[in-house]
Amino acid sequence: MLSDASPLADGEAAGGMGPGGLRRWLSSRAPAPRICVVGSGPAGFYTAQHILKHHDLAQVDIYEKLPVPFGLVRFGVAPDHPEVKNVINTFTHTARSDRCAYYGNVTVGRDVTVGELQQAYHAVVLSYGAEDNRVLGIPGENLSGVYSARAFVGWYNGLPENRDLKPDLSCETALILGHGNVALDIARILLSPLDFLRKTDITDCSLAALACSKVKRVWLAGRRGPLQVAFTIKELREMINLPGTQPVLNPADFTGLENAVKDAPRPRKRLTELMIKTALEKHREKAVMAQAAVPRQWGLKFQRSPQEVLPTADGMRVRGVRMALTRLEGSGDSAKAVPTGDMEELECGLVLSSIGYRSLPLDPAVPFDTQHSIIPNNLGRVMGVPGLYCSGWVKRGPVGVIITTMNDSFDTAQSVLEDLQEGVLDVSVSKEGFGAVGSILRSRGIRPVSFSEWEKIDAAEVARGKAAGKPREKIVDPQEMLQLIGH
């Protein structure tokens, strides 16, 4: 049933062999597998891309709950990191394939069930990411002035659910709990000169709020030490070089660490050396310079574990955080922070909790590990549910950068391709795909958004941005998006 009539994907030998020794599917007489992907962020698009590239007959439909695609590339990547968003060009190329379709404005688990998708497709891949955040679980967490990093990032990036956040930026000191790249992104956005931000795709309303912000000091606190920070050197260097700001790192925090990192992996070694260099340099500068000369400051606080968010006298707002001082047991990434019994209070009027994202269960039919907030799986195959797969953060937890998700999604796609090749997925029975799902959605009054309709929204955003000297002005209200395309 195999022939060499179809062009091979890039980099493949002419023998019709794909990755992992899989034979390519080249016959027009074989039934076309219909694959459904739930979620249009990097995990969804990379999964679709790999399947389409290595199977000449597969048809992939991507479902997304928002009208607009691209997930965290649109709503998570910082506005001042446009180069990271270039992957959108790759995803657009995939979406425009005649064997790929995009259906936005469809909430799987509500508008259509996973069971209904399984009836309509040979395979269903869940790639819907992490739509919640981990909570601190301490008293005062719900006081006014305390926000999750996820909500704050969603607010300045135009995520519809966070458009009405209205964070109070009227204080001078902000505390970010967490030492990851998201924590540094938030610190940078809070302290960046407005002229920098005006040239980005940050939303209009968040730019207006930041223009009125009184925040001039940002502390980033973590439970462990300098050798356990999760941010990367690129983000740290950006922060150190941010105009009009002064890093405040305490040299005492880095005593003896130069020897400790001698044999560490190169990225960890370079990162630690940059922190040490900055601590020593800036400490000397600070002794020479008058404090008033630098309008804004940021700093890292280590071995501090939040115990309670402290309220103002009226009990309504945050006035500070009580921290337990910790000591480390063990070393390297596996070191544990153990409270010493000592406490300190840090005054602040804004608290941003950046301790990680968390996936939620989608549908009662899908197994879910509530302890780790992932779908239990083996190489992307959902445990106990043949024909159901997962990729990205819902598969392995909310860690890593876009390339990590790319590799992970390729692995899941590979599992789908293997199961097609080995007959685990029975494609001899044809499936209707969107033909069936479209009828279900119509009966429930749901009108999906196509990729070409997204491109109309995209064009409108770019036109509005051009008028303001920005790459785009994001539309933050889904109803406005739908009106724009005549829904």
Side-chain angles (χ1 to χ4, degrees):
M1 294 289 283
L2 286 166
S3 80
D4 287 326
S6 190
L8 294 173
D10 298 343
E12 284 169 0
M17 296 298 279
L22 283 176
R23 275 207 130 342
R24 301 215 358 117
W25 296 72
L26 302 171
S27 164
S28 57
R29 291 185 294 279
R34 288 188 179 269
I35 317 290
C36 160
V37 173
V38 178
S40 70
F45 265 108
Y46 280 128
T47 303
Q49 176 190 318
H50 194 83
I51 291 170
L52 291 165
K53 180 176 176 179
H54 297 292
H55 196 305
D56 285 345
L57 301 175
Q59 297 180 351
V60 181
D61 292 343
I62 301 173
Y63 291 87
E64 166 60 52
K65 70 173 183 175
L66 290 170
V68 296
F70 310 133
L72 278 189
V73 181
R74 178 177 167 102
F75 297 118
V77 174
D80 57 348
H81 284 174
E83 72 287 351
V84 181
K85 301 184 192 194
N86 289 340
V87 293
I88 284 176
N89 300 330
T90 308
F91 300 161
T92 297
H93 181 73
T94 298
R96 285 176 176 162
S97 158
D98 56 7
R99 291 186 292 122
C100 185
Y102 168 83
Y103 300 104
N105 198 37
V106 177
T107 301
V108 173
R110 186 193 70 191
D111 301 336
V112 59
T113 67
V114 170
E116 287 166 335
L117 292 176
Q118 287 180 288
Q119 290 290 311
Y121 292 91
H122 294 106
V124 174
V125 187
L126 304 174
S127 313
Y128 61 87
E131 52 191 333
D132 198 13
N133 53 275
R134 289 173 58 198
V135 296
L136 292 164
I138 60 173
E141 187 170 7
N142 297 320
L143 284 170
S144 178
V146 182
Y147 308 93
S148 73
R150 190 186 180 284
F152 193 77
V153 170
W155 169 70
Y156 65 64
N157 271 333
L159 185 61
E161 69 187 70
N162 301 125
R163 68 187 187 273
D164 299 322
L165 191 71
K166 297 185 175 62
D168 186 341
L169 307 177
S170 62
C171 63
E172 291 195 352
T173 304
L175 171 64
I176 302 171
L177 299 167
H179 279 165
N181 280 340
V182 174
L184 279 188
D185 280 346
I186 291 172
R188 202 176 60 253
I189 295 296
L190 282 171
L191 296 178
S192 279
L194 278 175
D195 286 346
F196 274 36
L197 296 178
R198 279 195 186 99
K199 301 184 185 86
T200 73
D201 68 359
I202 193 166
T203 63
D204 203 30
C205 71
S206 51
L207 189 62
L210 288 163
C212 304
S213 169
K214 300 279 190 291
V215 176
K216 59 181 185 181
R217 194 177 304 105
V218 177
W219 296 112
L220 299 97
R223 289 177 301 123
R224 300 192 295 171
L227 296 184
Q228 288 79 32
V229 295
F231 51 71
T232 49
I233 196 163
K234 175 184 177 286
E235 276 70 18
L236 177 65
R237 196 177 283 118
E238 272 183 306
M239 203 66 218
I240 290 166
N241 296 330
L242 194 64
T245 63
Q246 164 113 26
V248 183
L249 303 187
N250 183 354
D253 288 333
F254 301 92
T255 308
L257 290 193
E258 279 184 89
N259 283 333
V261 288
K262 272 203 173 110
D263 302 319
R266 190 164 174 267
R268 174 67 65 190
K269 187 167 182 262
R270 288 176 61 228
L271 180 65
T272 308
E273 286 169 351
L274 179 58
M275 284 191 282
I276 294 168
K277 178 172 175 274
T278 306
L280 297 173
E281 267 181 18
K282 301 298 176 184
H283 195 68
R284 282 195 293 271
E285 278 178 30
K286 212 168 110 183
V288 176
M289 285 167 62
Q291 286 283 115
V294 178
R296 296 178 167 195
Q297 293 180 325
W298 66 275
L300 301 171
K301 289 187 177 288
F302 301 103
Q303 294 176 234
R304 303 282 191 280
S305 177
Q307 302 300 299
E308 182 183 2
V309 180
L310 303 167
T312 47
D314 62 7
M316 300 300 288
R317 287 194 44 75
V318 55
R319 67 166 175 87
V321 176
R322 180 174 292 125
M323 309 268 223
L325 275 56
T326 66
R327 59 183 169 80
L328 295 185
E329 284 185 358
S331 60
D333 288 343
S334 59
K336 293 260 188 297
V338 179
T340 63
D342 292 330
M343 294 277 184
E344 74 171 24
E345 288 184 10
L346 194 146
E347 279 187 40
C348 57
L350 173 64
V351 175
L352 294 143
S353 165
S354 185
I355 57 168
Y357 288 27
R358 189 171 72 105
S359 294
L360 297 173
L362 183 73
D363 186 299
V366 181
F368 195 78
D369 176 345
T370 49
Q371 190 184 347
H372 300 102
S373 297
I374 56 169
I375 294 172
N377 71 90
N378 181 12
L379 300 175
R381 297 175 178 95
V382 175
M383 301 285 207
V385 191
L388 193 60
Y389 303 80
C390 57
S391 69
W393 282 4
V394 77
K395 169 185 171 188
R396 67 172 198 281
V399 288
V401 290
I402 289 175
I403 195 156
T404 329
T405 295
M406 179 186 81
N407 290 325
D408 169 272
S409 302
F410 288 176
D411 288 346
T412 292
Q414 201 60 21
S415 292
V416 175
L417 292 169
E418 285 170 15
D419 290 354
L420 284 169
Q421 166 116 0
E422 290 165 17
V424 176
L425 296 172
D426 180 11
V427 294
S428 65
V429 180
S430 68
K431 298 267 190 168
E432 282 189 68
F434 184 73
V437 175
S439 302
I440 291 169
L441 294 174
R442 271 194 302 280
S443 74
R444 292 172 188 164
I446 306 297
R447 193 169 167 189
V449 171
S450 69
F451 199 77
S452 60
E453 287 174 323
W454 144 247
E455 290 183 312
K456 287 179 189 165
I457 297 169
D458 178 48
E461 290 187 341
V462 170
R464 291 179 191 191
K466 196 173 181 184
K470 299 167 68 172
R472 74 172 59 238
E473 186 59 63
K474 287 180 188 166
I475 298 168
V476 298
D477 181 355
Q479 287 311 118
E480 190 183 339
M481 295 174 186
L482 296 175
Q483 280 168 1
L484 193 103
I485 54 172
H487 275 218

